[in-house]
Amino acid sequence: MASPVAEPLRPIAVEMTGVDKWYGTFQALKGIDLTVRKGEKIVICGPSGSGKSTLIRCINRLEPHDKGTITVNGIELDGSPGRTQDVRLECGMVFQQFNLFPHLTILENCMLAPRLGRGVAKEQAEAIARRYLERVRIGEQAMKYPSQLSGGQQQRVAIARALCMEPRIMLFDEPTSALDPEMIKEVLQVMEDLAAEGMTMICVTHEMGFARRVANRCVFMDKGEIVEEATAEDFFGNPDSDRLKQFLAQILH
């Protein structure tokens, strides 16, 4: 009987090597090494102030790193405007706050980035925006303004807006933390749908149920360092470090 052939490793989507980040005398990231392959779903968790949001914001250079290398789909972030722009076209970003323009309709909010960032014609941008609003199950709200939508609906619009740039990687920075509990489920469902479709995703979140269902790997951070990294099964079922055991005991009570 022939031995099974190992599946070849997928291409690297994001690689961080020896990444440091300082704010004055405070070191927010300490020697971060992280490799994310195409199609992987990575969840980053940890206590407040552990560096999670800083890490994810360095990937598309919303925060410049001070040491080490960050490469996104083969493009190294070297500080040049051209490469920064190229990486931002590869990465969609969803924040804690929705950051929608209140004076624009939902449709106009979603059309803006393709028109400005990719030079897409108005008619094509509208078609793209309507397609992704349907994808996040909110197409019927296209002509409303942000203030007319619930928090959960606004966050789904924010996800659709990011998808309108047709990125190959999606970054989520605690996308449900500003939502009421009943709104969280609808946003997580959209994220799970994206994961099922094969999108490369890096999510900073405390939604541990989502992490268990969706993540290929979970990363635990504390005090600017990656303390532990494991498959979701091992992360929750067999944590190695005392610090992670303590963290899980607090949030899984």
Side-chain angles (χ1 to χ4, degrees), residues 119-137:
V120 174
K122 182 178 179 181
E123 295 76 13
Q124 186 184 356
E126 180 174 343
I128 291 169
R130 288 190 182 278
R131 181 167 83 247
Y132 285 111
L133 286 170
E134 288 292 340
R135 187 167 169 184
V136 301
R137 309 173 189 180

Side-chain angles (χ1 to χ4, degrees), residues 208-219:
M208 294 296 100
F210 170 82
R212 275 182 148 145
R213 290 191 302 273
V214 173
N216 300 107
R217 281 184 291 135
C218 295
V219 174

